[in-house]
Structures are given as C-alpha cells and as structure tokens.
Amino acid sequence: MTATDHCLFLSVPCQPSWFWITPYYAVMLLAINMALARLVYITERQTKVKLSGAMAPKCKTGCGKNAILKRPKTGDALCRECFFWAFETEVHNTVTAARLFRRGQYVAVAASGGKDSTVLAHVMKELNQRYDYGLRLVLLSIDEGITGYRDDSLETVKRNRDQYGIPLTVLSYEDLYGWTMDDIVKQVGLRNNCTFCGVFRRQALDRGAAQLGVDQIVTGHNADDIAETVVMNVLRGDIARLQRCTAISTGTEGSIPRSKPFKYTYEKEIVMYAYFKKLDYFSTECIYSPNAYRGYARAYLKDLEAIRATSIIDIIHSGESLAVRDAARLPTQGTCSRCQYISSQPVCKACVLLQGLNQGRPRLGIGKSSKVQERARETEGESDDRSEVDSATVTVGAG
Ligand code: SF4
Ligand code: ZN
C-alpha cells in the first residue's frame, strides 16, 4: 500500500505505517459497522411502527381512529374529529342550558383577532348553522389605537370577516374619546394604562352594540379568565364584582346583555382547537401589557392546576355558589349624568377618566369610587380642550 491508497472501510488515505495492524483494525471496524447497521434497522422499524400508528392509542370514543391528543379537561385520548365534536358540543350545551339566545336575535361577536374571539366567531357560525339557532351575526371590534399591536390584529379580524362571511364593524377610541391608547400611555405611563383601556373598551363595545342595534354581545372570556377573576375579586374583597363575575350573562335593565359561551371552556382547548382547525388568529401580546395583578392570579392558578387538574372548573363552581350577605351593600345601576351610559355612580368611570385626560390630571379617575366622584365634581368645568364623549362608527362590510 502506498501513501495514496485508501483504507477499505473508512475511505481515507491509509498511511504505510498502518499496514501491519490492518487485520486487527478491519475486525474492529466490521464490528462497529454491524452495530451501526443494527441501530439503523431498529430505528427504521420504530419509525415505521410509529407512522403506521400500530402503537398509538385509539380514540376514546370508539370511532376506530387513532388518538392524536389528550384533552386537558378530561384526560381523554381523542382523534382530531372527535375532539372538534366534543369541544363544539360542550359549547352548544352551555348555550342551550343557559338559554343564551332566542331565535331571530342579532348578536355581535366581540372580535379582537386573538385566539379566543377567533375561535368564538368560528364556533358561533358553526353552531348557528348546525343547530339552526336562527341568529344574525356581526363582528364588533374596538381599535384602541395601539400601534404595532391593534393595527396588526385588526388585519386578522378583517381576514376572519372574509373567511367566515360575517360583517365587521370597527369603533376607535380616537373617534369615541379623542384619545388613542398611544396618546394615553404618553400621558399616564405604563402603570394605570390598562384601567383606561379596560373602562373605555367596555363602554366602546356598548356604544358599538347600540349603534348596530344588536340584541346582545358575546365575548371570548374562557374558563381560565373567569377563574382568575374570581381569585382576583376574592383577594381584593370586591363583593360586587365577585357576585357577578361568574354569571354567564350580564346586563341589567337598559344595557345590552353580554354573554360568555366559553364560560366552561379551557384556554388550552381553545388553543388546541385553533391549532388543529388551522384558524387564522393573532397571538402577539399587547405592547402595553403590564397587568401584573392578573398575571400573578394566572400564575397561581397554573400552580394549582399542576396539582389538581380540575382547579379551574372548581373555582368557577365555588364562585357560582358564593352567597352575598343581605347586609352587604351592593351598588345600584343607573345612568351617567354626562354620557347617559350605564353607571353605578352619578358620573361613569369613562367620563371621569376622560375628564382627567383632558385636564392633564390623569390620576383623577384612579382610586376609590367615592373619592374619584368627589374630585370629578370639584374639578368639573376646568379647562377641557378635547370634546366630550363623541361617537363615530366605521362599518366594513363582509368581503
Ligand atoms: Fe389595553 Fe392593557 Fe389590554 Fe393592552 S394589555 S389592550 S393596554 S387593557
Ligand atoms: Zn359617562
């Protein structure tokens, strides 16, 4: 063998000095090759077994198909189609048990482009057709004016409008209040921004619903959201909110009812449904999302869930069973003296927050209701260079 000869096994140039050890070397390499060949054979076999599904569990329903997921809510191994069926049937059962809709109703689906509202719009359309609810559906979106977040998510809602053939109406904070969330954050910072955003959104949805003339609004609040709210209200000792936060439908005299068809639906299952259905949704977090308190409640629930899988539903049932003492003082609902929208105070929270923004006193509406009302009364009429609550609607037809 010369310096340019190649080793029989390794295809590398052999050195002349190696020549005398070749028989020993060859035996060793043969053994290694045989071991590798066996490994490749075993791996291929296992892959084939996996692909053919011979080892995969069968769907719990007995449909004969292989299971592809384990339901977080029940632990059942299900195939894709049986999971869709179970998910949709549970929502239908929730809707019928609570008698949420009446035939002929006009219903607005609050749509943000996120997973919950996208799945809700999809399921509402599906159930409306399958069970002939006889509903007329519309998507209602609120544009808070958050650059790089809401503008992108609204593009998703517009695609959903076209995909589902449901008309869409968009209302913006800028048109309603003269302020975008970008402007509000510039003035108030990132501490109380979600208070402004939450209060304005709630009223904006009511205004949009009133303009559309809908009979009710459905929102994508899921079981995890409701359990978090129960925990937060217990920790805050907020009896009024604790009493109503587990209600599937809210809305007192004069206001448009809001319903939560996903009240008993786990967030994880909504994500699975969206994933397996390949729904088009927007999954980026809001850029102004500190909301630390809810974040702690969520983390606490996740810890509980790791120990006890039914924690979320258990907390909702506990919230439903809580009775409020007769002696507990609960706020009575009336209307705001400024904007005429529903309020438990003489001036609604949205009007006080807006007054604070317009007067350059962003903290005016933050804190205890009684103090807030007092401050709002004292400073009413002081320089207020932006307009009172105004309403405007941009309607975008179904594509
Ligand atoms: Fe509004 Fe806060 Fe939600 Fe962002 S995280 S959309 S600021 S409520
Ligand atoms: Zn008001």
Side-chain angles (χ1 to χ4, degrees):
M1 190 177 272
T2 67
T4 52
D5 285 334
H6 279 69
C7 167
L8 186 62
F9 300 102
L10 291 177
S11 299
V12 294
C14 275
Q15 298 302 315
S17 56
W18 292 14
F19 185 68
W20 66 276
I21 58 161
T22 299
Y24 173 70
Y25 186 51
V27 171
M28 258 182 50
L29 284 172
L30 191 64
I32 292 169
N33 269 356
M34 283 171 68
L36 279 173
R38 171 112 189 111
L39 194 67
V40 169
Y41 171 74
I42 292 169
T43 312
E44 270 182 1
R45 227 182 122 203
Q46 281 176 346
T47 310
K48 273 183 197 153
V49 165
K50 256 191 199 160
L51 288 176
S52 73
M55 301 292 285
K58 289 285 177 195
C59 176
K60 167 92 184 293
T61 61
C63 71
K65 294 200 191 107
N66 293 321
I68 56 155
L69 56 89
K70 192 174 164 190
R71 272 195 79 181
K73 194 169 189 177
T74 57
D76 292 343
L78 293 181
C79 72
R80 191 188 313 244
E81 285 68 28
C82 289
F83 168 65
F84 292 155
W85 187 261
F87 183 97
E88 289 158 3
T89 305
E90 278 183 18
V91 178
H92 171 64
N93 291 343
T94 304
V95 163
T96 47
R99 297 200 177 128
L100 285 191
F101 309 119
R102 280 198 316 282
R103 207 175 167 70
Q105 279 194 325
Y106 186 25
V107 175
V109 181
S112 67
K115 63 179 185 339
D116 299 311
S117 61
T118 301
V119 173
L120 181 65
H122 177 87
V123 170
M124 283 296 298
K125 182 183 162 68
E126 198 73 26
L127 297 181
N128 194 28
Q129 283 173 348
R130 185 183 305 161
Y131 297 104
D132 193 20
Y133 288 169
L135 303 177
R136 198 152 57 96
L137 300 175
V138 60
L139 299 173
L140 175 58
S141 291
I142 306 301
D143 179 0
E144 298 93 343
I146 303 176
T147 313
Y149 168 67
R150 186 55 81 216
D151 41 3
D152 291 341
S153 68
L154 281 174
E155 289 306 310
T156 312
V157 182
K158 286 177 191 163
R159 288 197 300 276
N160 291 160
R161 167 201 65 193
D162 300 340
Q163 289 153 355
Y164 306 153
I166 306 177
L168 164 68
T169 291
V170 183
L171 269 79
S172 74
Y173 283 6
E174 187 161 27
D175 290 337
L176 292 173
Y177 305 109
W179 289 81
T180 64
M181 273 311 291
D182 288 338
D183 293 336
I184 293 173
V185 167
K186 273 184 205 138
Q187 187 174 129
V188 309
L190 283 172
R191 215 173 126 71
N192 294 307
N193 58 307
C194 291
T195 303
F196 286 83
C197 193
V199 169
F200 286 167
R201 187 186 306 108
R202 187 169 177 81
Q203 199 190 69
L205 273 176
D206 277 340
R207 286 172 176 269
Q211 285 181 19
L212 285 166
V214 298
D215 298 297
Q216 63 172 302
I217 308 168
V218 287
T219 62
H221 290 99
N222 60 46
D224 299 51
D225 297 330
I226 296 169
E228 282 163 19
T229 309
V230 171
V231 170
M232 284 163 65
N233 288 333
V234 168
L235 296 176
R236 283 176 175 147
D238 191 333
I239 299 294
R241 286 203 174 90
L242 186 56
Q243 197 200 24
R244 57 175 193 256
C245 72
T246 53
I248 191 163
S249 201
T250 50
T252 45
E253 217 41 43
S255 75
I256 296 166
R258 284 170 189 237
S259 307
K260 302 170 191 138
F262 285 166
K263 178 181 173 186
Y264 298 114
T265 309
Y266 279 25
E267 185 170 51
K268 282 181 195 150
E269 299 205 349
I270 292 174
V271 175
M272 274 185 175
Y273 187 91
Y275 173 78
F276 286 115
K277 280 272 181 189
K278 297 190 172 63
L279 298 186
D280 182 3
Y281 68 92
F282 184 78
S283 54
T284 307
E285 274 247 333
C286 171
I287 53 169
Y288 302 138
S289 160
N291 217 345
Y293 199 52
R294 184 170 282 275
Y296 287 123
R298 181 167 299 169
Y300 172 63
L301 279 185
K302 293 280 172 253
D303 287 347
L304 283 181
E305 222 188 342
I307 305 164
R308 185 181 165 89
T310 57
S311 298
I312 285 173
I313 290 294
D314 294 343
I315 289 172
I316 295 176
H317 288 155
S318 303
E320 287 170 337
S321 313
L322 281 175
V324 178
R325 277 183 295 124
D326 287 346
R329 267 185 46 224
L330 296 174
T332 46
Q333 298 287 17
T335 49
C336 169
S337 59
R338 292 190 196 168
C339 71
Q340 312 309 318
Y341 272 86
I342 188 154
S343 172
S344 56
Q345 302 292 333
V347 180
C348 77
K349 185 100 169 161
C351 283
V352 180
L353 289 171
L354 192 62
Q355 182 186 333
L357 286 172
N358 291 340
Q359 293 176 341
R361 295 184 176 124
R363 294 199 55 79
L364 185 75
I366 310 290
K368 267 190 167 276
S369 293
S370 50
K371 294 246 164 55
V372 163
Q373 292 291 316
E374 207 180 296
R375 286 201 298 265
R377 263 197 312 274
E378 282 165 13
T379 57
E380 193 184 358
E382 290 184 16
S383 84
D384 199 351
D385 46 18
R386 294 212 196 191
S387 62
E388 269 284 306
V389 174
D390 183 22
S391 60
T393 313
V394 183
T395 302
V396 191

